[in-house]
Amino acid sequence: MKNKKMTIKRIIIYVVLAFLLTGIPIVVAYACGVTMEHPAFELISYGMFGPALSSILTRLITREGFQHMYLRVNWKGHGMYYLLAILLPVIICIVDGIVETMVYGGFYSHEIFSELSLTAYIAYIFYGIAIGVTSFIIALGEELGWRGYLMPKLQEVMGMPGTLVLGGIIWGLWHAPMILLYGLNYGTEHPVLGVLAMCVMCFGMGNILTFITMKSDSIYPAAIAHGVLDMVASLISVLFISAQTATEHVFEIGLLDTLVAFVLGMIPFILLIRSTGKKDHSLGGTVE
């Protein structure tokens, strides 16, 4: 019981720090009139390191130490999950695009294609994938916190279903300042609904990232997948819908993307519940 109370304390400290370290700079930037087009807006991206820093600070504050951080590469015997880390984000984005095209049409209709062939653009996407893989260090700023710290801690105090649901909600709410103030992913017309949709989105994506983290026993596949997704999502989306459609239907398209993430995320959700039901396969089993 004492260990459980300490784990809950660590979860609370971590979540508060993660929200503050990322949210405060966003609020300050918005109050200072920094728009998404302003060069200074790029500095907000450093907020992605907030979760990682929060996990380190929580470990120091609670004298937990630095074990179980998933910092081993674990390539041997787990190479498939590194491959999945590259392929899954691309598959998700393509499914997103297909769904968007079914609703709005417009495949290969983006303005960029007036000067670029389809073959050249596909090559450009592969370049984006490569950049996403090599820039995984940025995504590591989030994954060291969410998959490397919060999810294992949640699993210490609740079952796998609750861990995945609550973890997804917390991760989604963490994006609230960007959604409420800058319309991240869902535009500015329905900010509250955008936050709720992001919680659903993060539940689905969180299941996928948690799955490859558990199976590889390493944080790096999740960081690679996160980095590739962030890099190729916009590149692939313009292959399927026009800029005008993306602008006029930003909220609806965001909901379609959320639906795809939720449906695809249910697959690892079921697999994780089944695997933890058959054996004591839990997060936090690696000692560095």
Side-chain angles (χ1 to χ4, degrees), residues 26-35 38 182:
I26 295 173
V27 173
V28 171
Y30 183 80
C32 293
V34 176
T35 64
H38 195 284
Y182 288 102

Side-chain angles (χ1 to χ4, degrees), residues 106-114 237-244:
F107 178 76
Y108 201 57
S109 63
H110 196 279
E111 292 78 0
I112 192 174
F113 300 125
S114 61
S237 67
V238 300
L239 183 62
F240 292 92
I241 56 175
S242 66
Q244 182 178 355

Side-chain angles (χ1 to χ4, degrees), residues 217-273:
D217 203 24
S218 173
I219 198 63
Y220 301 114
I224 290 172
H226 197 152
V228 172
L229 181 66
D230 286 349
M231 182 58 63
V232 304
S234 59
L235 294 178
I236 293 179
S237 67
V238 300
L239 183 62
F240 292 92
I241 56 175
S242 66
Q244 182 178 355
T245 299
T247 301
E248 293 178 352
H249 302 281
V250 58
F251 180 70
E252 292 84 356
I253 290 174
L255 291 183
L256 289 176
D257 295 343
T258 297
L259 177 62
V260 170
F262 175 79
V263 172
L264 295 180
M266 287 304 298
I267 299 173
F269 180 79
I270 295 171
L271 293 175
L272 286 170
I273 291 175

Side-chain angles (χ1 to χ4, degrees), residues 12-13 19 22 26 37 59 62 114 119 124 153 166 174 188 193 225-226 235 241 246 259:
I12 294 173
I13 292 174
F19 277 54
T22 302
I26 295 173
E37 293 75 26
R59 290 175 181 276
T62 62
S114 61
T119 301
Y124 188 52
K153 287 291 182 288
L166 182 57
W174 177 77
T188 57
L193 291 178
H226 197 152
L235 294 178
I241 56 175
L259 177 62

Side-chain angles (χ1 to χ4, degrees), residues 88-107:
L88 285 177
V90 177
I91 293 173
I92 292 170
C93 291
I94 291 175
V95 174
D96 278 341
I98 293 173
V99 173
E100 292 166 2
T101 300
M102 291 172 62
V103 177
Y104 297 104
F107 178 76

